[in-house]
Amino acid sequence: MPEIVTVQGEHILQLWQGAWIAALVTGVITWALIIGVPIWFRRRSDDEVPVQTRYNLPIEIFYTIFPVIMVIAFFSHTVRVQNVALEMVDDPDVVVEVVGQKWSWTFNYPDTEAAGGKNVFVSGTGEDIPQLVIPVDKTIEFDLYSPDVIHNFGIPAFAMRMDVVPGNDNAYQVTPTETGVFDGKCYELCGAYHSRMLFTVKVVTEAEYEAYLEKLAADPDHVSDEPVKGGVYSENLINHDEEGHE
Ligand SMILES: [Cu+2]
């Protein structure tokens, strides 16, 4: 497992580790019974048939009740962690509109306005992998939007990912606890260049974040009239096409 660097991801990691420990304990007991029984109760001589047991009520009650208890334990912990991981506060510190498009990512920063109230964004391609910059120790909301097919926005070091579904805008929030650069990618097989849908997330201090956005807002390549919903690459294609017709 990568080192987990979000508040929410810590809970997910603990659930994963706890589930593995419980499953391994169950596995060791089960394997011991499977392998042990034919050794302990084997037929030792032709004269002596081993004890034949049927209808052992205590054992039957045990192996009915105990798995039910295990399922309840797994289920309740899963629900508890899922509630933590999917909890949404009403006033996140930063909102990023994440667009998963064939075949890269676009990050709009709706909290920030460039001169004239314009939108600030970063968009990538398969060759030019985009970077998302967010501040540390803040609650970050990712609003997920797809103009084409289902993608999945995931960052292993955050222990979080979620489908980006056209027509059904998902969202999740994370609170990064450490600065650094982390890899992310599309986790839903979405087409020919799915494997190129990579991105990086750079978690920085709040001052660095403010400075970064200021720089973006001053760069014409990262400013648009409306939020960019389909990537710069496809927009350029459309523009070229329109110019060709004029
Ligand atoms: Cu994708």
Side-chain angles (χ1 to χ4, degrees):
M1 291 293 283
E3 195 199 336
I4 302 301
V5 296
T6 56
V7 174
Q8 293 81 356
E10 277 299 324
H11 292 270
I12 295 170
L13 178 64
Q14 282 167 13
L15 174 71
W16 187 82
Q17 289 170 330
W20 263 105
I21 291 166
L24 270 178
V25 170
T26 311
V28 166
I29 293 170
T30 309
W31 294 324
L33 288 173
I34 291 172
I35 297 166
V37 163
I39 297 172
W40 300 323
F41 300 106
R42 72 184 185 281
R43 187 169 184 165
R44 288 186 172 79
S45 76
D46 284 344
D47 319 323
E48 186 201 331
V49 177
V51 184
Q52 303 296 300
T53 306
R54 287 203 256 160
Y55 307 116
N56 187 318
L57 194 62
I59 286 182
E60 286 175 18
I61 290 174
F62 171 76
Y63 69 52
T64 306
I65 302 283
F66 194 70
V68 171
I69 292 172
M70 284 174 61
V71 169
I72 291 171
F74 276 120
F75 182 78
S76 62
H77 282 297
T78 303
V79 169
R80 179 179 56 79
V81 171
Q82 186 170 298
N83 287 342
V84 171
L86 298 181
E87 197 196 330
M88 303 270 282
V89 297
D90 289 336
D91 52 346
D93 299 307
V94 171
V95 175
V96 182
E97 189 179 49
V98 175
V99 182
Q101 80 267 346
K102 289 196 246 177
W103 276 280
S104 190
W105 300 92
T106 299
F107 308 115
N108 293 292
Y109 292 92
D111 299 335
T112 306
E113 283 186 353
K118 290 196 172 187
N119 177 61
V120 177
F121 74 99
V122 168
S123 192
T125 66
E127 286 81 38
D128 180 17
I129 292 168
Q131 186 171 66
L132 169 67
V133 177
I134 49 176
V136 69
D137 292 327
K138 300 278 175 190
T139 305
I140 321 289
E141 177 171 319
F142 299 126
D143 288 342
L144 308 177
Y145 174 84
S146 168
D148 40 52
V149 298
I150 301 177
H151 303 277
N152 189 302
F153 180 72
I155 302 132
F158 289 7
M160 275 296 283
R161 64 186 180 85
M162 192 177 279
D163 271 355
V164 187
V165 183
N168 182 10
D169 297 345
N170 285 336
Y172 65 88
Q173 295 179 346
V174 291
T175 313
T177 52
E178 275 174 48
T179 57
V181 179
F182 309 99
D183 292 328
K185 60 183 168 187
C186 182
Y187 279 87
E188 177 71 46
L189 183 57
C190 58
Y193 299 106
H194 162 66
S195 62
R196 291 192 184 182
M197 285 192 67
L198 306 172
F199 61 95
T200 54
V201 182
K202 191 175 182 185
V203 181
V204 297
T205 62
E206 195 178 5
E208 286 170 320
Y209 176 69
E210 299 295 339
Y212 171 78
L213 281 182
E214 233 170 79
K215 219 178 88 196
L216 270 194
D219 183 344
D221 285 346
H222 294 286
V223 170
S224 62
D225 292 336
E226 296 292 321
V228 177
K229 295 287 191 110
V232 172
Y233 178 64
S234 50
E235 282 204 347
N236 283 346
L237 280 185
I238 294 163
N239 289 343
H240 288 311
D241 196 41
E242 278 174 358
E243 280 161 22
H245 284 294
E246 274 167 9

